[in-house]
Amino acid sequence: GQGREMLGVGALVAGYGAEPVLHGIDLQVRQGEVVALLGANGAGKSTLMKALAGLHRPVQGGIHLEGLELKNFGAEQVVARGVVLVPEGRQVFPELSVLDNIRLGAFLQPADRDARVEEQLRRFPRLRDRLHQRAGLLSGGEQQMLAIARALMARPRILLLDEPSLGLAPKVIAELFAALDQLRREGMTLLLVDQMAGLALALADRAYVIEGGRVVAQGTAADIAADGALAQAYLGQQ
Ligand code: ATP
């Protein structure tokens, strides 16, 4: 069941120069909820995800995790509090083995590391077959699974996923969303950016649509999916 607010973003302003990219974003993610963040390229979704992950410092506004203000925390402090990003483009370490990439996810939480690696290998059996290969040799889908496994090693309370399906074949995307659905059933809280709006909305409880750095629509995933005008204007490819 979904409970109280886990992550809260209030009036968040962020950008890279004089002109902000995010013009005052408000959103909430409750415990156990899957929230989809939709919008065209350049809407500011990645900027928001980076701000939430402590990788990009906002200009104004607040980011709260169960009441704790995270806005001025760096990436490592944010991870330590349980907000963990699976970045756009996977960002695995190509020269390191699959195993070492997974282990690296536990750098702040080394207790029981090997048992937790085993958990991830049960979750993603394909990674076990490739355990001692260089991560750079994996397919795109395998690298995405690896990036998720690595993130899960940090014991997230909320997992942020930025464009996990980008560049993957339809069959692989289906496997990826099945893995995300499994996480959802385990009770993991997810905030997901993905251009596959149809799949993201099928997985999600609620959704926000961002355009030009502002929230232009929000609601249950079913209501957003049923809004034909929204779909045409903002949601892009399905
Ligand atoms: P995409 O799906 O294309 O990544 P997005 O919704 O994630 O789109 P952002 O990546 O957040 O959008 O980009 C929002 C705006 O900020 C764009 O105009 C982009 O050019 C600009 N931007 C992003 N990163 C930087 C940066 N490091 N420096 C300057 N401008 C940036």
Side-chain angles (χ1 to χ4, degrees), residues 10 14-15 39 51 60 68 78 80 82 102 105 109-110 116 125 142 147 157 163 182 189 203 205 220 224 233 238:
Q60 246 177 269
L68 178 71
V78 171
I102 299 175
Q109 308 263 2
R116 287 153 54 213
E142 289 163 348
R157 312 205 49 226
E163 303 275 13
Q182 173 62 31
T189 307
L203 179 74
D205 299 293
T220 66
I224 297 285
Q238 293 294 302

Side-chain angles (χ1 to χ4, degrees), residues 9 22-28 37-38 43 48 207-219 224 234:
V9 175
L22 303 179
H23 297 274
I25 297 282
D26 291 288
L27 69 82
Q28 293 81 42
L37 203 57
L38 307 172
L48 176 57
Y208 292 83
V209 180
I210 295 189
E211 188 60 32
R214 293 186 169 82
V215 174
V216 295
Q218 60 179 296
I224 297 285
Y234 298 116

Side-chain angles (χ1 to χ4, degrees), residues 76-170:
E76 196 170 308
Q77 291 169 294
V78 171
V79 170
R81 294 308 196 289
V83 178
V84 182
L85 174 68
V86 181
E88 184 170 359
R90 350 280 187 220
Q91 312 290 341
V92 301
F93 296 97
E95 303 299 331
L96 298 184
S97 70
V98 168
L99 179 59
D100 285 342
N101 269 274
I102 299 175
R103 284 176 170 165
L104 272 176
F107 78 106
L108 290 176
Q109 308 263 2
D112 307 324
R113 188 189 68 183
D114 292 347
R116 287 153 54 213
V117 169
E118 186 56 34
E119 258 174 57
Q120 296 314 319
L121 297 178
R122 279 199 297 272
R123 181 187 299 282
F124 299 117
R126 295 244 296 275
L127 296 182
R128 191 190 299 277
D129 302 336
R130 305 288 190 121
L131 207 53
H132 301 290
Q133 289 186 15
R134 286 172 33 206
L137 296 175
L138 298 184
S139 70
E142 289 163 348
Q143 288 190 16
Q144 188 61 56
M145 303 299 178
L146 177 55
I148 293 171
R150 181 183 59 187
L152 291 172
M153 290 296 288
R155 296 192 187 281
R157 312 205 49 226
I158 176 168
L159 195 62
L160 314 175
L161 296 128
D162 194 356
E163 303 275 13
S165 78
L166 199 67
L168 304 183

Side-chain angles (χ1 to χ4, degrees), residues 16 21 39-48 50 88 162-163 195:
Y16 303 94
V21 168
N41 285 345
K45 305 177 302 292
S46 291
T47 301
L48 176 57
K50 285 181 200 151
E88 184 170 359
D162 194 356
E163 303 275 13
Q195 291 296 319

